[in-house]
Amino acid sequence: MKIQGTPVLFIPGNAGSSHQVRSIASSAARQFYASPYAVAPEFASRELKALDVFAVEFNEDLSAFHGPTLESQITYTSNAISYILSLYPPGTSVIVMGHSMGGVVATSLLPSPNISVIITMSTPHTLSPARFDSRIDKIYAQNQLTLTSDLTPIISLCGGATDMMIPSESCILPTTNSSSEVLRRTIFTSALEGAWTGVGHREMVWCHQIRWRVARAALEAAGAATPHAKAVILDRWLRDGHTLPPAVSIETPGFTLTDQERYRIMPEAQHLIIMSKYLRGSGTFLLPLPPARKTLLKATVLVGLGSILSVRPQNAVPLKASVYMCTSSEEGPSCSPLKPDLLKLIPNPMPGTTFPVPHEGVDESDGAVVFEANIPLIVGDDPGKRWLGVHIEDGDARGWVVAGIGLRENVIEGPSTLSLLFKDAEVRWFDATALGPRYIFPKVISSALIVYKYSPITTDEEKWCSDPLLHPLILHTSQPAETHYFPVSPTSDRILLHTHSSAPYVASAAPHRSLEFVLYSSGTLGCNMAGFTIGIDWSATIGRWATRYPTTLVTWAVGVVALVMFKAWGTADRGAAMPSVGDSLSHYGRHTLTRLLFVSLVVALLPLPTCVYLGTGGDLYFAVIAPLVLLIASGQVCVIWGLLVVLMWPIGTISSLIFGRIRENTGGVRRSTLISMGFIFVLIFILVPWQVAYLGCWFIHLFNCASSMRQISRLRSTTTIAAIPLIRVAATDGTVQEDKPAEVQIHEAQRESIQKYRMDNHNHNLHILLLMTWLLPLVAPVLAVWVRTLFTAGWTTPFDGDHDFLNAAPFLVLVDFASWNMGIQFQRQRWLFAVLAGTAFFIGPRKAYSVFDAAKITVGLIVMIRVGRRYWGGASWSLDDNRGS
């Protein structure tokens, strides 16, 4: 293999494959070579090199769930880069591309002089999609720290709402204090010029509109020598229009129009509209500005198929337009270049067609360039007449130009988020012929947890626009990194306006709090449309809640179980019988839940940090999510308990037929059990992860509970079959009564006491089973990683991490002790479950792994304090336990 190009390394993500880079590599080759071994002229003239695309293969490991797996990928990739660069001359650097969690691996390689550019695709930079491992959080924290000082250009491409695997707010690069010259840019594909559409998670690497731009950016960036030069190239080929192009220059000298035949002054309050058949040669058009001093105005210029300054479609026609601010002078209008506040390429979809075209996307050659600039206010003496000047050159009867002057923004003060909860708001056009009116709703909040709907208001008036150059188009910019485009027509049903700005568990330095959007057209907004309505789309909004809080549902379910155990153990501590799980859940539903729903609502209104509880910072509008999530979590606990009861019935029946009676109290742990447990600890320490031991522990406890349930049900239904002789006792009044012998009464009292302890312990064990069941989802991801590693990498492959047997030891001891103890099981430790519930409700939603840590500590303290020496056959440290043993 001949190595002579620019090295590029692709890093796949969670369950990803090295084969995913083939589409990008193919696109790079097709762009660089006009034919086999013949370099395309546009590259040959600049002495750019082809891309040598490498990829690392991780056997489709599940890196999103397991910190050690992610760490091993980082180490392997670092070594791979060292090997790749050993094939090239000294001083060569590599361009790194990462998909999904591969982007996290890429940023973890920094700082590195061997990496010139990083391009990530659908990468969750700020929030891990699976928050079950503290080691992944440490990697994220280290990346955040590194990005504050590293100068490597980084581009993050995000798919938006179309990405169903990660919430795209986590794809936004974290804010840093780095110099503004350092390129740190998040680009949503819905805003990416030439794509203008959301892209799915896996589709990001092969979608044509994305892959060819990524490949072209890599080809061009390879020839840049400095980070700033690379940033300019990346901005050109991966642009979203939220900032002005770095290469924009308005140093064009001004001029004075002395020849009246070379320019034309338009009538006041009239747009400039030049269709293709009139675009020939060059000319200057002047649009009069109103003589106001306080009205905030903006100039809007739209050019179809042509260019303004350096912005143009990929296959642009020669048409060029320049924008000037002109004032009257003795020689004639004197014009100077007008600096744009916005300069970008926008789509121009055809009416009546789907945008974007399914399975094809869009053709950016049909796009239009939009130029916007705020008109300076008149200060001091009246400068005389003022015009907006539009200079056109190289017209060849292709393309079109539209220009006009309008209000800078239209602020709609009436509607608020609160009012939209009950009724949609209706807005009529301020100016039906405006080119790009901006509508701002300052009282309507913008958040990832709420979706609005836009619906046009149609009119029965006769259609007065026959063939508009730019059909009405909504540009919805919800935050500095995200823009969406939606074609508008009288037949539009509803348009969903969503955002990924402020979101749960994601810290935002400056969240965008108001709803605003721009409506671009060639002056045809009022064509069969009188305005629009804005409302909340409840189906999409609730769907957003469901995708943001699945982990919260799991951790809150653990919190519910902990509260149920807190209440049940409190009943037992007061000397009453330990309630069954069914009775505990019934009491929780009838008494505790109502109060807890109210408390959850109140807590949701508190200005808590975004990393705890709901992660909404006490936002009033989202406080209702707390009782809703709590209600669903409580229902899930009840459903899971019902499934456990159904599952235990056949297990108990089978165990009674095979094993007979349950294990009796042996006065302490058996020697064989200690040997088995020691063997398990050795296996965990050397070979298997501790999560496997926990799963086995759960199965054993399920089996013991099922067997105990079967035995207790038999004891309840068993009647006395042996006759007990009675003795005659003379009463004080001379009558004779029959009574049981004293030794029989003592025996029955002891038997009733044993049965009471057995029943109480059985109910204790069932509560523990319910808790251990809800802890399973917190350990299941690592089990999945282990099983997948065995099948993909081989049975002899060592599994890094998770060999601390102390994580499973408390549960193993507790389950074994519960299987043979006939005395008092536990007492006076219920406050440990209150701490566990608090951890599950407040910290768990953001750091799910902390819930299992809290449960492990809770069980460990119970084992040490309440089991203690009883496990070895000695006396307990608790007097209460000694009396019951």
Side-chain angles (χ1 to χ4, degrees):
M1 182 176 65
K2 189 176 182 180
I3 303 295
Q4 60 182 6
T6 300
V8 174
L9 178 63
F10 175 79
I11 308 174
N14 182 67
S17 169
S18 58
H19 296 167
Q20 291 175 297
V21 76
R22 291 181 297 184
S23 296
I24 297 175
S26 172
S27 180
R30 289 177 177 274
Q31 293 182 64
F32 188 81
Y33 294 102
S35 61
Y37 305 105
V39 179
E42 58 183 319
F43 292 101
S45 60
R46 292 181 291 161
E47 298 183 352
L48 294 178
K49 298 179 179 180
L51 299 183
D52 295 332
V53 182
F54 299 84
V56 290
E57 177 59 59
F58 296 136
N59 292 319
E60 301 183 359
D61 283 342
L62 301 176
S63 56
F65 302 101
H66 193 224
T69 298
L70 194 61
E71 291 170 349
S72 65
Q73 291 185 359
I74 295 171
T75 302
Y76 180 86
T77 305
S78 178
N79 295 332
I81 290 177
S82 299
Y83 171 75
I84 291 170
L85 294 182
S86 69
L87 306 176
Y88 292 85
T92 304
S93 58
V94 62
I95 297 174
V96 178
M97 300 178 184
H99 176 250
S100 189
M101 293 300 291
V104 177
V105 174
T107 53
S108 299
L109 299 172
L110 299 176
S112 173
N114 296 328
I115 299 176
S116 59
V117 172
I118 292 179
I119 300 175
T120 67
M121 295 163 278
S122 300
T123 294
H125 284 287
T126 56
L127 184 67
S128 173
R131 304 183 288 276
F132 302 109
D133 196 327
S134 61
R135 292 159 295 190
I136 293 181
D137 258 7
K138 291 179 181 178
I139 294 174
Y140 271 73
Q142 181 60 44
N143 286 356
Q144 171 76 28
L145 183 63
T146 300
L147 292 180
T148 59
S149 57
D150 190 76
L151 303 180
T152 306
I154 302 177
I155 294 287
S156 175
L157 297 175
C158 307
T162 311
D163 190 336
M164 304 301 293
M165 293 190 179
I166 65 167
S168 283
E169 58 266 18
S170 66
C171 182
I172 300 173
L173 283 170
T175 56
T176 66
N177 298 322
S178 300
S179 169
S180 58
E181 296 181 358
V182 179
L183 183 64
R184 294 279 190 275
R185 183 167 300 170
T186 301
I187 301 174
F188 279 77
T189 57
S190 58
L192 181 63
E193 294 182 358
W196 298 310
T197 180
V199 178
H201 192 80
R202 292 172 296 181
E203 291 79 2
M204 182 69 77
V205 293
W206 54 258
C207 173
H208 171 69
Q209 282 77 4
I210 307 300
R211 66 180 178 122
W212 88 263
R213 286 186 165 273
V214 170
R216 186 57 177 265
L219 284 167
E220 299 276 357
T226 65
H228 176 71
K230 295 181 187 297
V232 171
I233 292 173
L234 292 174
D235 183 86
R236 177 185 176 187
W237 296 102
L238 297 171
R239 265 189 58 77
D240 57 7
H242 292 140
T243 58
L244 295 177
V248 163
S249 174
I250 59 169
E251 301 302 327
T252 305
F255 56 85
T256 301
L257 297 171
T258 57
D259 186 356
Q260 295 185 1
E261 294 184 357
R262 301 295 302 272
Y263 67 92
R264 176 184 174 185
I265 299 178
M266 303 294 296
E268 292 188 4
Q270 182 174 323
H271 296 324
L272 169 67
I273 302 177
I274 307 178
M275 304 181 71
S276 58
K277 61 182 179 180
Y278 301 110
L279 280 172
R280 296 186 181 276
S282 303
T284 303
F285 299 86
L286 303 181
L287 284 74
L289 296 176
R293 293 176 179 266
K294 297 182 179 181
T295 305
L296 298 177
L297 302 175
K298 74 172 180 179
T300 302
V301 181
L302 300 166
V303 175
L305 304 182
S307 63
I308 301 179
L309 299 177
S310 62
V311 179
R312 63 184 184 274
Q314 177 62 21
N315 300 312
V317 300
L319 173 64
K320 299 178 183 177
S322 304
V323 185
Y324 298 86
M325 175 60 66
C326 303
T327 58
S328 59
S329 66
E330 293 182 358
E331 293 83 6
S334 178
C335 302
S336 58
L338 182 60
K339 181 180 179 180
D341 294 297
L342 181 143
L343 181 60
K344 66 191 302 182
L345 189 69
I346 63 173
N348 186 9
M350 296 299 295
T353 61
T354 303
F355 174 81
V357 179
H359 309 296
E360 295 184 17
V362 297
D363 183 358
E364 68 159 2
S365 298
D366 296 332
V369 179
V370 57
F371 174 107
E372 284 188 355
N374 295 326
I375 303 296
L377 293 174
I378 299 176
V379 180
D381 298 335
D382 191 347
K385 293 184 178 180
R386 299 194 304 167
W387 298 273
L388 173 69
V390 180
H391 179 69
I392 299 173
E393 53 185 319
D394 298 334
D396 62 352
R398 289 183 294 173
W400 49 267
V401 177
V402 176
I405 302 166
L407 294 176
R408 187 176 300 180
E409 57 189 30
N410 301 297
V411 180
I412 313 298
E413 294 285 356
S416 66
T417 303
L418 184 61
S419 66
L420 294 182
L421 293 175
F422 308 99
K423 184 180 179 182
D424 294 353
E426 184 177 296
V427 179
R428 298 284 174 166
W429 302 131
F430 286 91
D431 181 1
T433 63
L435 300 183
R438 179 181 298 274
Y439 289 89
I440 301 177
F441 300 82
K443 299 179 182 178
V444 178
I445 65 171
S446 182
S447 170
L449 294 176
I450 190 167
V451 179
Y452 299 100
K453 59 182 178 181
Y454 172 104
S455 300
I457 300 176
T458 59
T459 176
D460 296 332
E461 297 179 4
E462 184 179 354
K463 182 177 181 180
W464 52 268
C465 51
S466 57
D467 188 18
L469 301 173
L470 177 65
H471 293 267
L473 180 76
I474 291 179
L475 183 150
H476 175 220
T477 300
S478 57
Q479 55 137 326
E482 184 178 15
T483 291
H484 299 272
Y485 297 94
F486 305 100
V488 181
S489 69
T491 58
S492 300
D493 181 18
R494 62 171 185 169
I495 295 173
L496 300 183
L497 305 178
H498 58 269
T499 178
H500 297 90
S501 55
S502 58
Y505 314 120
V506 177
S508 178
H512 198 90
R513 297 297 295 174
S514 62
L515 173 67
E516 61 179 77
F517 53 84
V518 181
L519 276 158
Y520 286 112
S521 74
S522 55
T524 57
L525 284 180
C527 181
N528 285 0
M529 292 187 293
F532 60 89
T533 61
I534 286 289
I536 297 176
D537 191 281
W538 285 107
S539 59
T541 296
I542 294 175
R544 282 297 184 95
W545 298 355
T547 57
R548 266 60 182 181
Y549 290 108
T551 304
T552 306
L553 281 173
V554 174
T555 59
W556 281 27
V558 175
V560 169
V561 175
L563 288 179
V564 169
M565 296 181 70
F566 172 79
K567 185 66 177 179
W569 284 34
T571 301
D573 286 348
R574 291 191 294 270
M578 179 70 181
S580 66
V581 175
D583 292 338
S584 296
L585 292 177
S586 177
H587 184 276
Y588 169 82
R590 288 184 287 107
H591 301 284
T592 308
L593 179 59
T594 304
R595 295 191 295 268
L596 201 59
L597 290 173
F598 175 75
V599 172
S600 68
L601 180 64
V602 173
V603 174
L605 295 173
L606 301 178
L608 300 173
T610 55
C611 60
V612 300
Y613 204 57
L614 286 182
T616 58
D619 200 313
L620 170 66
Y621 299 107
F622 305 122
V624 69
I625 298 178
L628 179 61
V629 172
L630 177 61
L631 191 62
I632 296 175
S634 301
Q636 287 179 329
V637 170
C638 296
V639 171
I640 292 299
W641 171 244
L643 293 177
L644 285 174
V645 172
V646 173
L647 183 61
M648 284 188 290
W649 184 83
I651 294 177
T653 302
I654 295 173
S655 67
S656 64
L657 295 176
I658 298 177
F659 301 102
R661 298 177 59 84
I662 61 176
R663 180 180 171 184
E664 298 294 338
N665 191 346
T666 59
V669 62
R670 292 177 178 175
R671 180 177 300 177
S672 59
T673 302
L674 291 177
I675 295 174
S676 300
M677 199 170 296
F679 179 70
I680 291 173
F681 291 160
V682 171
L683 281 179
I684 295 174
F685 187 75
I686 298 176
L687 187 61
V688 301
W690 62 263
Q691 290 86 351
V692 175
Y694 179 85
L695 180 62
C697 182
W698 178 82
F699 275 116
I700 292 173
H701 195 53
L702 174 67
F703 177 82
N704 291 338
C705 289
S707 301
S708 175
M709 178 179 289
R710 181 67 177 177
Q711 292 293 335
I712 288 178
S713 64
R714 282 187 174 184
L715 290 175
R716 286 177 174 175
S717 60
T718 301
T719 58
T720 303
I721 58 176
I724 299 178
L726 301 178
I727 60 174
R728 295 180 179 272
V729 179
T732 55
D733 57 357
T735 60
V736 178
Q737 299 178 349
E738 293 183 346
D739 201 355
K740 298 178 183 178
E743 60 273 13
V744 174
Q745 296 182 23
I746 294 174
H747 175 75
E748 289 186 346
Q750 291 177 344
R751 182 178 179 182
E752 290 178 0
S753 177
I754 292 174
Q755 295 300 330
K756 176 182 179 299
Y757 286 139
R758 176 175 290 183
M759 190 66 195
D760 284 353
N761 292 347
H762 173 68
N763 289 330
H764 269 108
N765 293 339
L766 291 179
H767 282 82
I768 294 172
L769 175 65
L770 183 60
L771 175 63
M772 292 182 64
T773 301
W774 274 106
L775 292 176
L776 278 177
L778 304 180
V779 302
V782 175
L783 287 174
V785 174
W786 180 63
V787 172
R788 178 142 190 162
T789 301
L790 292 179
F791 281 98
T792 58
W795 294 92
T796 60
T797 302
F799 190 73
D800 294 334
D802 301 290
H803 294 298
D804 186 358
F805 62 85
L806 295 179
N807 288 320
F811 296 95
L812 290 170
V813 173
L814 179 66
V815 167
D816 179 65
F817 175 75
S819 67
W820 51 262
N821 175 57
M822 297 300 172
I824 294 178
Q825 194 93 303
F826 318 108
Q827 276 188 339
R828 309 188 191 288
Q829 297 300 316
R830 65 182 185 132
W831 289 104
L832 292 173
F833 293 105
V835 175
L836 173 59
T839 303
F841 283 121
F842 287 92
I843 303 177
R846 171 60 182 84
K847 300 178 179 180
Y849 53 84
S850 65
V851 178
F852 189 88
D853 291 341
K856 173 185 64 179
I857 294 173
T858 297
V859 174
L861 290 174
I862 291 174
V863 168
M864 288 190 298
I865 298 174
R866 289 302 168 186
V867 176
R869 291 181 294 180
R870 287 193 294 167
Y871 191 65
W872 314 100
S876 173
W877 288 308
S878 170
L879 295 177
D880 294 329
D881 291 347
N882 291 336
R883 287 194 296 266
S885 299

